[in-house]
Amino acid sequence: MKSRRDFIKKLSVGAGILPMTFSFAPYQKHQYISDIQDGPVLKVAIMGLGSYGNRVAEAMKDCKRAKVTGVISGTPSKIKDWQAKYNIPDKNCYNYENFDAIKNNPDIDAVYIITPNALHHGQCLRVAAAGKHVICEKPMSINAKEGKEMVDACKKAGVHLLIGYRMHFEANTLEVIRLRNAGEFGTVKFFQGLSGFKIGDPNQWRLNKELAGGGAMMDIGIYSINGARYMVGEEPIWVTAQEVKTDPIKFKEGVDETITFQLGFPSGVVASCLSTYAFSYLDKFFLVGEKGFAEMQPSTGYGPIKSWTHKGRLDLPHVTHQTTQMDQMAAIIFDGKKPIVPVDGEEGLKDMKIIDAIFQAVKSGDKVALKL
């Protein structure tokens, strides 16, 4: 089974909004993968040893400030494999029943939760109660209520709650944000976000409402939700949405196949987005203003990200996203670093409020007000 994010293999020739051709001149390369200051190394236990857990662990081999020191899994054979691969001692290995004991383990500073969505809430609360920092994959929960409880629990415990928004540290993404803030595009008018792939195995957890909390929107649509917010640079104030389901057997009640949704922003900007499990080659952001545009395709895949504006190519050098993410998260936890785009629990909670509103809009057919 392919990873939920490993779906971009080639670009779709016909996906562009504007049928334009350009003679691209390269931009000056701005360095967004900033030098990591020397300091303490974040000792991380990975919870959930599936495909993405493996991807994160492999990327962390190149980290300067983060290291895999523990594992939490319900599969003993996986634990043995990880122990051999990452030199993890028995005392740093836990299962889902006994991992509260990390409280007394100085070899673990943080737990990266990479399990099915519906498990995040309870696992986060337990990690926080053990006094360890929480890094949680997105979506942070299956609804805003649970997300808020996670934020509150981590605040009460005095630990960080960070969400796995790897794109918030990606160089092309940050360059587009810089250009927008500098007025390069003029007044922003419109954003389009396309996020989708054709999902395979009908028996996987991503198509199980009890584990996933939904379907494509939770898994891949969240990229366009989050992307709309950081690309436009505002928080939306309303949403409308429409659902299409062509295979009700594969996509059962409560598991969305395809949803188109629209976000309205205070300045009058409208975002038009698509989330789907029905077809592939959808990984594109397009931002346009009065003076220019920025386009990214792929925009959120594992990379390299391809990007350009009305003035030419960007395509800043690719660094493995999870490597940068974990180093930067160590700097957030230990050094108090403030990222350009937040990755804290409040950021994740905003996306959950929008997802709740999208589902409400699909059901009611009405425009739903947002208060983030």
Side-chain angles (χ1 to χ4, degrees):
M1 181 183 70
K2 295 182 179 180
S3 166
R4 59 180 170 176
R5 300 169 181 82
D6 194 16
F7 57 88
I8 298 300
K9 298 298 183 184
K10 59 183 178 179
L11 303 182
S12 177
V13 175
I17 297 178
L18 301 176
M20 297 181 181
T21 58
F22 297 92
S23 176
F24 290 113
Y27 268 102
Q28 177 183 355
K29 305 303 186 191
H30 294 270
Q31 293 301 313
Y32 288 103
I33 310 306
S34 58
D35 291 336
I36 300 297
Q37 300 287 331
D38 290 337
V41 172
L42 185 67
K43 295 171 286 188
V44 180
I46 303 293
M47 179 186 289
L49 308 184
S51 61
Y52 195 67
N54 275 274
R55 184 179 289 272
V56 170
E58 281 296 304
M60 287 178 67
K61 288 181 177 179
D62 295 324
C63 284
K64 298 177 181 178
R65 295 285 303 273
K67 179 182 179 181
V68 176
T69 59
V71 291
I72 303 169
S73 175
T75 308
S77 62
K78 288 185 179 181
I79 292 178
K80 290 297 182 184
D81 290 342
W82 278 57
Q83 282 189 271
K85 191 170 185 179
Y86 298 104
N87 193 29
I88 300 171
D90 289 341
K91 66 184 181 67
N92 293 354
C93 299
Y94 302 87
N95 58 43
Y96 294 123
E97 286 70 46
N98 68 11
F99 74 81
D100 308 271
I102 61 173
K103 180 177 183 177
N104 303 312
N105 192 336
D107 289 346
I108 297 173
D109 299 316
V111 174
Y112 196 156
I113 299 173
I114 312 177
T115 55
N117 307 335
L119 305 181
H120 293 177
H121 171 262
Q123 291 167 343
C124 171
L125 268 54
R126 290 172 65 186
V127 172
K132 304 298 181 179
H133 302 294
V134 180
I135 302 170
C136 184
E137 254 314 295
K138 58 192 174 302
M140 67 182 296
S141 58
I142 60 171
N143 55 51
K145 177 179 179 294
E146 288 192 356
K148 179 65 164 56
E149 290 171 357
M150 293 164 67
V151 170
D152 291 345
C154 289
K155 284 183 177 178
K156 181 179 179 180
V159 299
H160 284 271
L161 171 58
L162 304 176
I163 312 301
Y165 289 118
R166 57 188 166 81
M167 302 311 300
H168 293 197
F169 306 106
E170 194 277 323
N172 292 274
T173 301
L174 294 178
E175 173 67 349
V176 170
I177 292 171
R178 186 193 72 82
L179 292 170
R180 183 205 70 219
N181 289 339
E184 192 72 29
F185 312 126
T187 302
V188 175
K189 292 296 185 181
F190 176 78
F191 172 80
Q192 183 188 48
L194 306 176
S195 301
F197 65 99
K198 188 171 184 178
I199 199 164
D201 180 10
N203 298 312
Q204 63 182 284
W205 70 263
R206 291 175 182 84
L207 297 176
N208 180 336
K209 186 179 186 299
E210 297 304 312
L211 289 175
M217 183 60 64
M218 287 286 187
D219 184 23
I220 193 69
I222 191 171
Y223 282 99
S224 281
I225 292 172
N226 193 249
R229 294 173 52 228
Y230 64 66
M231 292 283 278
V232 172
E234 300 179 45
E235 298 294 6
I237 56 174
W238 58 259
V239 63
T240 53
Q242 307 80 36
E243 181 177 8
V244 175
K245 186 173 291 191
T246 65
D247 188 347
I249 296 177
K250 187 173 186 177
F251 302 98
K252 298 178 174 59
E253 180 69 25
V255 179
D256 51 287
E257 176 185 346
T258 300
I259 293 179
T260 55
F261 61 96
Q262 302 77 43
L263 298 170
F265 295 84
S267 66
V269 175
V270 174
S272 177
C273 303
L274 172 65
S275 164
T276 188
Y277 267 162
F279 43 95
S280 298
Y281 313 123
L282 289 180
D283 184 8
K284 177 181 175 180
F285 288 170
F286 180 83
L287 182 75
V288 66
E290 289 183 327
K291 293 167 54 179
F293 74 89
E295 190 163 358
M296 307 173 74
Q297 185 177 4
S299 57
T300 62
Y302 289 138
I305 301 302
K306 297 296 182 182
S307 56
W308 55 95
T309 78
H310 57 289
K311 288 188 175 180
R313 302 291 310 194
L314 298 179
D315 294 351
L316 275 71
H318 173 66
V319 178
T320 302
H321 299 167
Q322 295 81 4
T323 303
T324 305
Q325 172 194 323
M326 296 308 296
D327 269 340
Q328 294 292 339
M329 285 185 168
I332 291 170
I333 290 172
F334 288 133
D335 307 340
K337 183 171 182 177
K338 301 296 183 183
I340 294 171
V341 184
V343 292
D344 54 25
E346 285 82 358
E347 176 78 1
L349 180 57
K350 290 176 181 178
D351 284 343
M352 297 316 305
K353 289 179 178 179
I354 296 171
I355 289 177
D356 285 356
I358 287 172
F359 290 150
Q360 181 183 343
V362 165
K363 187 175 181 179
S364 67
D366 298 328
K367 178 186 290 188
V368 176
L370 291 168
K371 294 182 179 180
L372 304 185

